[in-house]
Amino acid sequence: MIAKPDATRTGKPETTKTVKRERRKPTLEEIPFVREVPVVASATMVVLRYVGAWLRGGDEESGGFGVRLLALGVAGYVALYFAEKHPGLWYVYGGAGFLVVTTVAVRTGLSAGRTVKDLEAARAPAPAEGEQPDIGPLNDHEMPGEEAPEAEPPTVSPAEADAAFGLFVEHNVAFAVRTDPKGDRKGVHTDTLLNILHKTGMLTDWTEPMLRKKCKSLGIPVRKQMGIQGRNYFGVHVEDLEQSLGRAVRVPPQLVPDLTQNAPTAPPAEPPAPPPEITLIQPPAGAG
């Protein structure tokens, strides 16, 4: 039997089979700038949302929306016209767009891997560590550990929601007229009504033209020019409203005088709060 030659005697290196290691494929998150793609997309959507809100904020009846849209189109045409003659402007446009998107991302709190939906979910208040969420008092037939049945949302008909909206406008017109120390104020501006609603968290997605359309659809007259404290804007005049209602405007409860002894006589500083039924009011037809 012939013995195999030893590698140390022959001087030849011993050949062994080596296992070929496969390279690990990088994930998408490990590729540079890929994680920033959702941030850029979300920030771009926020910028477009701001532009759309700026366009919708134009006054439709006086042509403000058309003027803003025309101005935006002219600006885009001028930018393209000069870019054709000077191609280097594309770098300027790109840098300006990157600066705007980056600024929006920083101001809104966007970061790598977080989108607008993540931010909205993060804004929800979370219970502190070790703190049990408040589940409210238990019913007589409810045992500890059992979940309380979900409360049904209040059912309000569209007619009731419209009536609540009309009462809100009427009360604020009466409040503005009664609390003016000089007696010169004869109504309230429509954007003032919208600000009151937004402060209470109601109809936050409505714009001033939408509120004005809703007033007209309910028979609430709106003047195109009404001077209040040196500012002319759309508004509801008390005389027009009373003529439409066929009666005097109703005074809000907070303006009803208190007949008890030593009651304060100073008028309230805050306008009447809107009824909760307004949250279920339907937007005006054709609102977008």
Side-chain angles (χ1 to χ4, degrees), residues 22-283:
E22 296 182 357
R23 291 185 177 180
R24 186 177 63 86
K25 295 182 179 179
T27 60
L28 288 177
E29 294 185 353
E30 295 175 348
I31 302 177
F33 303 108
V34 169
R35 295 190 63 194
E36 280 71 20
V37 171
V39 179
V40 175
S42 299
T44 304
M45 294 302 297
V46 173
V47 173
L48 293 177
R49 192 179 302 174
Y50 286 157
V51 174
W54 177 72
L55 289 175
R56 291 193 303 269
D59 188 6
E60 296 179 359
E61 293 191 3
S62 61
F65 176 81
V67 171
R68 294 187 180 188
L69 185 61
L70 180 62
L72 189 63
V74 170
Y77 175 78
V78 171
L80 292 177
Y81 176 78
F82 283 101
E84 290 180 357
K85 292 189 174 183
H86 307 282
L89 287 176
W90 287 111
Y91 297 100
V92 178
Y93 297 160
F98 177 78
L99 181 63
V100 170
V101 171
T102 304
T103 303
V104 171
V106 173
R107 293 293 298 272
T108 55
L110 295 172
S111 59
R114 300 184 71 188
T115 60
V116 175
K117 184 181 292 186
D118 299 330
L119 291 177
E120 293 176 353
R123 288 175 184 172
E129 185 178 357
E131 180 182 354
Q132 295 294 333
D134 186 13
I135 58 176
L138 300 178
N139 298 330
D140 296 337
H141 59 279
E142 186 178 357
M143 298 296 293
E146 293 183 358
E147 295 183 357
E150 296 183 359
E152 297 182 358
T155 57
V156 178
S157 64
E160 292 174 339
D162 290 344
F165 181 83
L167 182 63
F168 162 71
V169 175
E170 182 179 351
H171 279 178
N172 276 273
V173 170
F175 176 85
V177 173
R178 294 289 186 93
T179 58
D180 185 18
K182 296 182 179 180
D184 299 332
R185 187 179 299 181
K186 299 299 180 182
V188 62
H189 285 149
T190 50
D191 57 351
T192 303
L193 296 173
L194 185 66
N195 290 335
I196 296 173
L197 291 171
H198 286 179
K199 285 182 180 179
T200 55
M202 296 186 183
L203 308 182
T204 54
D205 56 339
W206 279 40
T207 60
E208 190 274 335
M210 291 175 61
L211 184 139
R212 199 183 330 131
K213 278 186 177 181
K214 190 63 180 180
C215 288
K216 293 184 178 181
S217 67
L218 297 179
I220 301 174
V222 178
R223 290 191 180 185
K224 293 184 179 180
Q225 294 287 338
M226 196 172 74
I228 299 177
Q229 295 181 346
R231 186 173 75 99
N232 287 325
Y233 196 69
F234 292 91
V236 181
H237 199 280
V238 61
E239 295 179 0
D240 298 340
L241 184 59
E242 289 180 342
Q243 185 177 359
S244 175
L245 296 173
R247 55 173 173 80
V249 292
R250 288 173 288 187
V251 179
Q254 61 196 98
L255 291 183
V256 176
D258 192 354
L259 301 180
T260 57
Q261 190 175 5
N262 299 327
T265 58
E270 294 295 330
E277 293 83 1
I278 293 182
T279 56
L280 301 178
I281 193 173
Q282 297 296 323

Side-chain angles (χ1 to χ4, degrees), residues 17-22:
K17 294 182 179 181
T18 58
V19 180
K20 202 172 185 180
R21 294 184 179 179
E22 296 182 357

